[in-house]
Amino acid sequence: MMIVTSTSTRQRRNDGFSSKAVTLKLILFAAALGACLNLWLFHSHYSQDVIHLTHHDVDDDDEGWEMNKIAMREEWERPTEHEWEAEGSPVSEEWDPILKNKATEDDETATDDNDKEERSTLHSSKSCLEARSDTIPKHLYGKLQKPYINLGFPKMGTSSLHSFFQCGGLDSVHYRCSKLDSCSRCVLESVTAGGLPFQLCELPPRKIDVYAQLDNGTYFPQIEFLDEIVAGYPEATLFLTFRSIEKWYNSLKKWPPRKHGPHMNDKMRDANISGFPSGVGQNVDEFADWYCKHVERVRDIAARNSLSLVEVDIEDSTIAKRMSDMFDIDESCWGHTNANPIANPDLDLSTVQIAPKFVQISREEKKSNKDP
């Protein structure tokens, strides 16, 4: 009788252990399944081509990135690039009414300040606002050393420069230097760590050929660390891009391509950038003066260090051929990319690449208008 009782007790204990083991296995399986599902969702929503990082001051949910703040937040924009038009493709019939309606709405709602293109009193009188076409002797064509580093400002042909070199088979970065990091931040971290400016921007064995845009619109490594860039890469080829100052300022006022701000000029005005303190930037002349001083500084440091400096006027009708001759890249690779129809209502949309951001916002507005 004692043996039977002992056996029954042991059996119940074994059954209990077995039940707990099964439960534990189910929990671990569910956790693993959940982790896999999260990883799959992450990769499906955030790919290298669509992750956008914007830095924000911790005291303000909408504006700026102050570098003296220890804490910072990252805002991830939901990607919709898989829904966007492929680069280089003509705008489909779906977008014709959207573009026409948007132009009409902007005409009806825009203020006088947004409608008129401000004229700069500096543009016609200062050579610092005009590209020089003779900075590179022809015997150096096809021999300019990498990396190619654009020290110009955003909305001044950086996307066209980026696309040109990508089309030519070079590894070019624009705004983001890696999947999860902006160029402005990795340069800051590299210099802060005591390394070369691009040391943490390149994950071995990658070697970036072209830095088409270093800044994020509010923090400018090409200003803050110009001396470090020149000292760290003495064989590099530097770039400055140019366009009509009035068109540049108009483009800043209408980027991102939406009706209501803040827009890029507002963020720059409030960012307290070196040489452009908070509050400056109330008109086109103040922006023109800022860029003029930056151009003069770059030209001076390039001359003193015998560096190659390519100056690119993106509105020059001969620039495609000159870039082709200089870098042995097909002339057809040069074009107007990341175009904003709001800032350029007279664009021939069949000859340019529409900004994906414009397409994204247009889709969102179209969807919201359909919702009751």
Side-chain angles (χ1 to χ4, degrees), residues 176-244:
R176 286 196 313 277
C177 280
S178 68
K179 182 176 181 179
L180 297 175
D181 213 357
S182 64
C183 296
S184 60
R185 187 169 65 176
C186 68
V187 172
L188 171 66
E189 292 174 343
S190 296
V191 175
T192 302
L196 295 176
F198 303 140
Q199 187 167 327
L200 298 180
C201 299
E202 300 175 325
L203 299 178
R206 186 184 189 189
K207 198 72 174 176
I208 295 173
D209 298 316
V210 185
Y211 292 87
Q213 181 177 330
L214 291 176
D215 62 88
N216 67 353
T218 56
Y219 186 72
F220 287 71
Q222 64 266 48
I223 295 177
E224 308 298 340
F225 300 121
L226 178 58
D227 292 332
E228 288 82 354
I229 290 172
V230 168
Y233 304 93
E235 303 299 322
T237 301
L238 307 180
F239 286 75
L240 281 172
T241 51
F242 296 79
R243 66 184 297 192
S244 157

Side-chain angles (χ1 to χ4, degrees), residues 63 218 252-253 255 260-271 280-281 287:
E63 297 288 339
T218 56
L252 293 175
K253 290 198 303 178
W255 187 266
H260 308 293
H263 292 102
M264 186 172 284
N265 67 308
D266 302 313
K267 293 185 176 184
M268 287 179 169
R269 187 174 58 238
D270 298 335
V280 175
F287 273 88

Side-chain angles (χ1 to χ4, degrees), residues 130-141:
E130 296 179 357
R132 302 172 301 178
S133 60
D134 59 352
T135 58
I136 303 298
K138 291 195 174 181
H139 71 270
L140 291 180
Y141 279 21

Side-chain angles (χ1 to χ4, degrees), residues 117-133:
E117 185 176 280
E118 292 189 34
R119 301 294 300 173
S120 170
T121 59
L122 302 176
H123 194 189
S124 60
S125 61
K126 291 205 171 187
S127 60
C128 57
L129 300 178
E130 296 179 357
R132 302 172 301 178
S133 60

Side-chain angles (χ1 to χ4, degrees), residues 58-338:
V58 293
D59 295 328
D60 192 328
D61 288 340
D62 298 317
E63 297 288 339
W65 176 25
E66 293 184 10
M67 297 307 300
N68 60 340
K69 299 292 184 180
I70 296 176
M72 68 175 65
R73 293 185 293 112
E74 292 181 347
E75 176 188 11
W76 296 70
E77 299 178 1
R78 281 288 179 183
T80 58
E81 190 158 335
H82 61 283
E83 299 176 347
W84 294 341
E85 294 286 331
E87 288 190 357
S89 65
V91 179
S92 66
E93 293 182 2
E94 175 187 1
W95 292 109
D96 289 336
I98 295 177
L99 299 176
K100 291 178 181 177
N101 290 339
K102 180 169 285 294
T104 302
E105 291 170 359
D106 290 338
D107 289 341
E108 293 174 350
T109 60
T111 64
D112 290 341
D113 180 61
N114 287 331
D115 282 342
K116 67 181 181 180
E117 185 176 280
E118 292 189 34
R119 301 294 300 173
S120 170
T121 59
L122 302 176
H123 194 189
S124 60
S125 61
K126 291 205 171 187
S127 60
C128 57
L129 300 178
E130 296 179 357
R132 302 172 301 178
S133 60
D134 59 352
T135 58
I136 303 298
K138 291 195 174 181
H139 71 270
L140 291 180
Y141 279 21
K143 301 175 183 177
L144 293 172
Q145 298 297 304
K146 296 187 283 289
Y148 302 152
I149 308 170
N150 180 28
L151 302 174
F153 286 179
K155 307 311 299 175
M156 201 175 274
T158 58
S159 295
S160 296
L161 200 66
H162 173 59
S163 296
F164 173 77
F165 285 116
Q166 275 195 327
C167 178
L170 277 67
D171 185 355
S172 177
V173 293
H174 179 268
Y175 172 69
R176 286 196 313 277
C177 280
S178 68
K179 182 176 181 179
L180 297 175
D181 213 357
S182 64
C183 296
S184 60
R185 187 169 65 176
C186 68
V187 172
L188 171 66
E189 292 174 343
S190 296
V191 175
T192 302
L196 295 176
F198 303 140
Q199 187 167 327
L200 298 180
C201 299
E202 300 175 325
L203 299 178
R206 186 184 189 189
K207 198 72 174 176
I208 295 173
D209 298 316
V210 185
Y211 292 87
Q213 181 177 330
L214 291 176
D215 62 88
N216 67 353
T218 56
Y219 186 72
F220 287 71
Q222 64 266 48
I223 295 177
E224 308 298 340
F225 300 121
L226 178 58
D227 292 332
E228 288 82 354
I229 290 172
V230 168
Y233 304 93
E235 303 299 322
T237 301
L238 307 180
F239 286 75
L240 281 172
T241 51
F242 296 79
R243 66 184 297 192
S244 157
I245 285 296
E246 291 82 7
K247 290 183 179 179
W248 176 53
Y249 183 60
N250 184 56
S251 182
L252 293 175
K253 290 198 303 178
K254 295 179 179 178
W255 187 266
R258 58 191 178 208
K259 294 179 187 176
H260 308 293
H263 292 102
M264 186 172 284
N265 67 308
D266 302 313
K267 293 185 176 184
M268 287 179 169
R269 187 174 58 238
D270 298 335
N272 197 28
I273 304 164
S274 293
F276 200 66
S278 295
V280 175
Q282 301 296 327
N283 54 57
V284 63
D285 279 344
E286 292 184 352
F287 273 88
D289 186 60
W290 176 39
Y291 193 60
C292 177
K293 290 176 180 177
H294 176 66
V295 168
E296 289 175 338
R297 182 186 174 205
V298 170
R299 285 175 174 174
D300 177 66
I301 200 170
R304 284 189 287 107
N305 291 273
S306 301
L307 296 174
S308 297
L309 174 61
V310 181
E311 299 190 4
V312 180
D313 181 352
I314 64 171
E315 296 172 348
D316 182 357
S317 60
T318 67
I319 192 59
K321 184 179 187 310
R322 191 159 72 91
M323 290 291 287
S324 175
D325 293 343
M326 209 177 304
F327 297 100
D328 290 332
I329 295 175
D330 195 276
E331 190 174 330
S332 63
C333 286
W334 183 264
H336 188 175
T337 63
N338 206 35

